[in-house]
Amino acid sequence: MSPYTVIIRRSGNPFELAHVLVSWLIGAGYDAYVVVGCATRDTCMAIKYRSICADIPDESEKKEEIPPPDEEPRYRLVPLPDLTSKYCRDMDKKADDKKQAELNKTEKERLRKIADLEKAPADAINGWRTHAWVLVLPGYMGIDEPFFIEPSEGEGHLLDSEKYQFIDSVYNHENYYANVQSTDIGLDSLNYDLSDLSAWEHLLAGEPHHRRQMVGIDIADKKTAVQTEKHLDMPVSWVEKLEISTDEYGQRYPGSHKVIHYKKVLLDKFSPYSERDGVVKRIRTFEDYALTVPLITYEWYKHRVDKMETVRIDHTKREIRETFGIGRRDHLLKHVYSMDALVGSVEAVRTMEFNYYARLDHLTRLVCTTLTFDEYYSNRSDRLESRLVIYTEGTKETKRQIKDVTETYSRNHEIPSKQDVWKKIFHLQDNTIELLYQYAYNYVTNNTRSYIKPNLAETGGKILFYPDKTSGYIADPNAKQPRDLEVYYALCENMEWEHATTKQIRDRETDVNGYLRQRHKELTEPMLAVALFDTEKNEAAKKGWKEQEAKKAEVTEREKEAEIDPLAPYLARMFGSGHGSGNPLTVKEATLIREQCINDFKSKQLARQMLVQERFEKLNNEYKNKRLWYLANQFILTPEKESNYFTMSAELAFQVHTLEVRLTRHQDLSGPRYKILLEYLDKHPLLKEYNRSKNYYGIK
């Protein structure tokens, strides 16, 4: 089949697929060729279940090694002497080496058995399976080294790839080149300079036109040059132009879906907008070769309104990880939760990461468990870094209650460390508050302060201070003890802060519940974003466009049906409404209607002329009177009155000129309009009898 037919049918053998790919590459400017040779059985039959899927993301942790210092430190600590016995150390090393050797032997044996099971069965015609693939040579489009492309999968391979065994020939639209080199060493050892006749035999003598070297030949005369060189050119292609429409390109795969079976992996590819949830690629890994025990599922999404990009489902740990792009209202970037977590429950185990830069509260990460609620912040003005909330265990009758709240703050260098709080610990169940201050320079301990909150119900809502209900530790023994008033003010401030923090925690729980309900709705009712001008996928724009076209067609049809007829009022006056397409009128009726139409036209033209003439004379007289008034009083006028006169005079002059132009235009067009009316009446189908008698008797 031709490349055009292959594109239409969306199927073909390796040669047909190679022709299509080479056609596209040559059209894009690459130096591409179809290769005819031999390949392995898996390559010829497009077998993938014995190869590893290259699309599986690499999740190995990359540890950044700290580079050694550029300069050796001037002073170094002397290492402690090693007092262990060398004999014991050697014996331990031998035991460890022996144990590791046994483990390596067991692992090697296991890998050998797996390789034997995965090994392909013997191929009786190995080295004789004919196959076609693509060769891209350097020199164009920034290509530096030649390489192969497998047309059935579209992936590039190096010249030493094990997929390909032998090359018979290569060809394209310019020439056919037969390989005369030995391929025993490998395809990477071949000389891919097609102009070398010792390596490649040409079917058509000479080189293509753009590669010819006209040495010692008068290239001004192209006919002489070509005859002298005796080059032969390939015939022009008879294949129709290869085109792919926008809809076909958007479909990607036949049926908008493609499945590839790799070793213990299933790869699903979908065209954009083909699936309701917007998935474009899915990779499912399994533990066994029968693909019955799933391990991990990877999914990639596009064009989702909720900005979800990837999903990772770990079936072993029963964990789901969702990642999002920038642009969500809640600024969520990553959501990790258990598959067994209750829908919309903040008490389940989950981790949420946010784009703190776009959030007002600068929330970075949120970790929820059954009994904890951990918040992390970045770059806050109040220097809050984290907040750990510990709950009591809830029951079916009672909701879990806040037990402890621990807030951590960063260092504020504008105040001394003894006044800069590092941690605030609120024990709500024990009714106590603990304050830990920042460490001072060269101190191994820090200041602390603890309070037992007074019972506000007993004090009538007033905060009373009892010295025996507070205690503290000061790291500096020479420092003075704080005054009771300062301690009292700190107690009042932290009790108010505890109340505000408790409210913020409950508000945060409400917000998280809202996030989770919104995520559940987004997962159960996914919505895809469509470009505003994409009328094929944008249903609202498509509906509006169709309604607009329907209204336009309706107006056009109405205008065609209701064509303006100057005789319609006279026919309605004589015969009533609805007379328009009947038998021709008699000579008497036609004469009466024709005279009425002509007389009305003349009277309307005369009335229009008289109206314009009257307005013209009125404004012209007014302009002349204003001019005479100005000539008589120009020496006694104030600058303001003179300016008003010039403004009014210019406006009157413009109106007079406009009316004069309209009057002249009316006089010039009255004659042609009257002539057009007479020609229309002479051709009117209802005045057929009158026009015939007029032509017969010569009536004007």
Side-chain angles (χ1 to χ4, degrees):
M1 293 187 294
S2 66
Y4 179 81
T5 307
V6 173
I7 293 176
I8 296 299
R9 295 186 179 182
R10 295 192 173 188
S11 63
N13 58 42
F15 286 86
E16 295 164 348
L17 297 178
H19 290 166
V20 174
L21 181 55
V22 167
S23 300
W24 288 119
L25 291 174
I26 292 176
Y30 293 90
D31 190 13
Y33 300 83
V34 177
V35 182
V36 180
C38 298
T40 60
R41 174 177 51 191
D42 290 357
T43 304
C44 296
M45 302 180 66
I47 296 175
K48 295 288 186 179
Y49 58 80
R50 279 192 285 267
S51 58
I52 299 175
C53 180
D55 293 346
I56 298 178
D58 184 12
E59 297 183 344
S60 58
E61 297 182 0
K62 297 180 180 179
K63 296 182 180 180
E64 296 183 0
E65 297 182 358
I66 301 177
D70 297 336
E71 297 181 359
E72 289 291 335
R74 185 174 181 181
Y75 301 101
R76 288 188 300 178
L77 295 176
V78 178
L80 296 176
D82 188 5
L83 302 179
T84 59
S85 172
K86 294 183 179 180
Y87 174 78
C88 294
R89 187 169 59 247
D90 294 341
M91 294 300 294
D92 292 341
K93 184 179 179 182
K94 289 181 180 180
D96 293 341
D97 292 344
K98 183 179 180 181
K99 186 177 180 181
Q100 185 63 34
E102 293 178 355
L103 293 176
N104 293 338
K105 183 178 179 181
T106 305
E107 181 67 15
K108 186 176 180 181
E109 182 65 21
R110 188 182 69 85
L111 295 177
R112 187 189 64 78
K113 291 181 179 180
I114 293 176
D116 293 341
L117 293 174
E118 295 178 351
K119 186 177 181 181
D123 187 7
I125 55 174
N126 184 34
W128 294 90
R129 294 182 180 271
T130 304
H131 188 60
W133 61 98
V134 176
L135 169 65
V136 180
L137 294 181
Y140 297 89
M141 304 298 293
I143 302 300
D144 299 327
E145 297 291 336
F147 63 93
F148 297 137
I149 300 178
E150 176 55 39
S152 61
E153 59 188 21
E155 297 180 359
H157 300 279
L158 299 177
L159 298 180
D160 58 352
S161 174
E162 297 180 356
K163 286 176 169 288
Y164 310 109
Q165 301 171 336
F166 185 80
I167 293 180
D168 290 323
S169 59
V170 300
Y171 62 91
N172 60 3
H173 66 296
E174 296 174 345
N175 208 335
Y176 186 93
Y177 307 90
N179 179 29
V180 296
Q181 307 173 73
S182 175
T183 58
D184 296 337
I185 303 177
L187 300 184
D188 57 334
S189 63
L190 297 181
N191 178 13
Y192 288 94
D193 183 7
L194 300 182
S195 62
D196 187 357
L197 297 180
S198 62
W200 301 91
E201 186 67 32
H202 297 195
L203 176 65
L204 301 178
E207 295 294 333
H209 187 273
H210 63 279
R211 297 182 181 178
R212 298 172 187 172
Q213 298 179 1
M214 304 296 186
V215 181
I217 302 174
D218 185 10
I219 60 175
D221 186 2
K222 292 186 178 180
K223 183 177 180 181
T224 304
V226 172
Q227 289 180 351
T228 304
E229 287 290 328
K230 296 181 180 180
H231 288 287
L232 296 178
D233 295 328
M234 292 282 282
V236 180
S237 175
W238 62 89
V239 180
E240 298 185 33
K241 185 178 180 180
L242 304 182
E243 292 182 344
I244 296 180
S245 63
T246 305
D247 296 338
E248 292 175 342
Y249 180 76
Q251 192 178 5
R252 296 289 197 280
Y253 320 105
S256 302
H257 181 207
K258 182 179 181 181
V259 181
I260 304 176
H261 182 188
Y262 290 96
K263 184 173 67 174
K264 297 183 181 182
V265 174
L266 276 182
L267 172 61
D268 296 84
K269 293 184 178 181
F270 305 89
S271 62
Y273 296 102
S274 63
E275 297 298 312
R276 177 172 169 268
D277 57 355
V279 62
V280 294
K281 186 168 69 171
R282 180 185 294 120
I283 297 178
R284 291 172 288 175
T285 62
F286 298 86
E287 186 177 1
D288 56 341
Y289 296 96
L291 309 181
T292 58
V293 182
L295 293 178
I296 300 177
T297 300
Y298 302 93
E299 293 179 347
W300 286 263
Y301 295 85
K302 282 186 178 180
H303 311 296
R304 285 183 64 108
V305 174
D306 60 359
K307 305 297 182 182
M308 187 168 69
E309 296 179 347
T310 62
V311 174
R312 180 186 184 273
I313 304 175
D314 192 334
H315 299 276
T316 304
K317 298 180 181 179
R318 300 192 62 79
E319 183 183 80
I320 300 176
R321 183 180 64 195
E322 301 170 346
T323 58
F324 304 85
I326 301 295
R328 286 181 59 90
R329 290 187 176 181
D330 53 11
H331 308 290
L332 182 63
L333 295 179
K334 184 185 292 185
H335 185 197
V336 182
Y337 58 96
S338 174
M339 298 172 64
D340 302 325
L342 296 177
V343 177
S345 175
V346 72
E347 298 181 9
V349 178
R350 63 179 74 248
T351 302
M352 306 173 72
E353 295 184 7
F354 300 88
N355 179 20
Y356 78 91
Y357 186 79
R359 291 182 62 96
L360 296 177
D361 57 359
H362 285 225
L363 179 63
T364 302
R365 188 158 58 98
L366 190 63
V367 180
C368 303
T369 62
T370 307
L371 298 177
T372 61
F373 194 83
D374 206 355
E375 303 174 1
Y376 297 90
Y377 299 90
S378 296
N379 300 333
R380 280 178 62 110
S381 58
D382 59 358
R383 301 175 290 104
L384 178 62
E385 291 185 340
S386 66
R387 178 186 291 137
L388 173 61
V389 183
I390 301 177
Y391 297 88
T392 60
E393 293 186 6
T395 60
K396 295 182 179 180
E397 292 79 11
T398 60
K399 186 180 179 182
R400 65 177 186 175
Q401 301 297 325
I402 299 177
K403 181 180 179 182
D404 299 325
V405 179
T406 303
E407 294 182 345
T408 306
Y409 297 84
S410 60
R411 179 73 171 93
N412 184 6
H413 297 281
E414 296 179 358
I415 59 177
S417 59
K418 63 180 180 179
Q419 300 177 3
D420 189 10
V421 177
W422 171 41
K423 282 186 180 182
K424 292 182 179 180
I425 305 175
F426 304 103
H427 301 284
L428 275 70
Q429 300 295 326
D430 298 337
N431 208 29
T432 59
I433 299 175
E434 292 185 23
L435 300 180
L436 304 179
Y437 293 88
Q438 300 285 348
Y439 284 84
Y441 177 73
N442 209 21
Y443 279 81
V444 295
T445 59
N446 60 330
N447 294 1
T448 63
R449 173 67 59 180
S450 62
Y451 301 93
I452 298 177
K453 295 185 297 181
N455 192 344
L456 299 181
E458 297 178 355
T459 60
K462 298 181 180 180
I463 303 177
L464 301 181
F465 178 70
Y466 301 98
D468 58 338
K469 292 186 178 182
T470 178
S471 61
Y473 168 76
I474 299 178
D476 187 1
N478 299 322
K480 295 181 180 181
Q481 294 291 333
R483 296 185 300 171
D484 291 344
L485 184 61
E486 296 176 354
V487 177
Y488 173 71
Y489 284 157
L491 173 62
C492 297
E493 179 184 355
N494 285 281
M495 288 184 67
E496 294 178 358
W497 187 267
E498 177 186 359
H499 177 73
T501 300
T502 306
K503 186 177 181 303
Q504 291 178 6
I505 292 171
R506 294 306 183 188
D507 293 341
R508 179 72 68 199
E509 291 177 351
T510 304
D511 294 342
V512 173
N513 285 327
Y515 298 159
L516 298 179
R517 286 194 297 269
Q518 179 66 21
R519 281 299 304 139
H520 179 65
K521 183 179 179 181
E522 292 170 349
L523 292 174
T524 55
E525 302 175 6
M527 296 180 62
L528 303 182
V530 183
L532 179 63
F533 302 101
D534 191 350
T535 57
E536 293 298 326
K537 297 182 180 65
N538 195 329
E539 296 297 334
K542 188 176 182 180
K543 183 179 179 181
W545 173 72
K546 287 186 176 180
E547 291 178 355
Q548 186 178 2
E549 291 293 330
K551 290 181 180 179
K552 186 177 180 181
E554 184 179 353
V555 171
T556 305
E557 189 68 22
R558 193 184 304 119
E559 290 178 353
K560 290 182 180 179
E561 294 178 356
E563 187 176 356
I564 299 176
D565 187 1
L567 297 182
Y570 306 101
L571 295 174
R573 189 187 307 168
M574 180 176 292
F575 303 102
S577 61
H579 193 287
S581 59
N583 297 325
L585 302 176
T586 62
V587 177
K588 183 178 180 180
E589 295 172 344
T591 303
L592 180 60
I593 291 178
R594 188 173 185 277
E595 290 179 356
Q596 290 179 358
C597 182
I598 293 175
N599 292 336
D600 288 348
F601 176 78
K602 290 180 179 179
S603 61
K604 288 182 179 179
Q605 294 294 319
L606 182 61
R608 186 177 298 173
Q609 181 177 353
M610 295 298 294
L611 179 62
V612 177
Q613 182 72 29
E614 181 181 356
R615 292 180 179 176
F616 172 75
E617 292 176 355
K618 179 181 178 181
L619 291 177
N620 193 25
N621 292 333
E622 184 179 354
Y623 175 74
K624 290 180 180 179
N625 294 334
K626 289 287 184 181
R627 181 65 179 172
L628 293 175
W629 174 83
Y630 173 73
L631 293 176
N633 302 287
Q634 59 179 338
F635 298 106
I636 60 175
L637 293 177
T638 61
E640 183 179 358
K641 291 185 178 181
E642 188 175 11
S643 176
N644 293 337
Y645 163 75
F646 284 124
T647 303
M648 188 179 298
S649 177
E651 184 177 355
L652 287 174
F654 174 74
Q655 294 179 358
V656 169
H657 177 69
T658 303
L659 291 173
E660 184 179 5
V661 172
R662 288 187 62 184
L663 185 61
T664 304
R665 179 178 176 82
H666 178 75
Q667 293 174 354
D668 294 341
L669 296 178
S670 295
R673 288 173 178 172
Y674 180 71
K675 185 177 180 181
I676 292 174
L677 177 62
L678 292 180
E679 293 178 354
Y680 177 79
L681 295 176
D682 292 341
K683 297 178 181 180
H684 201 285
L686 296 180
L687 305 179
K688 184 178 180 182
E689 295 296 333
Y690 173 82
N691 294 329
R692 184 185 300 173
S693 60
K694 184 186 70 169
N695 295 332
Y696 180 78
Y697 293 105
I699 300 175
K700 296 184 180 179

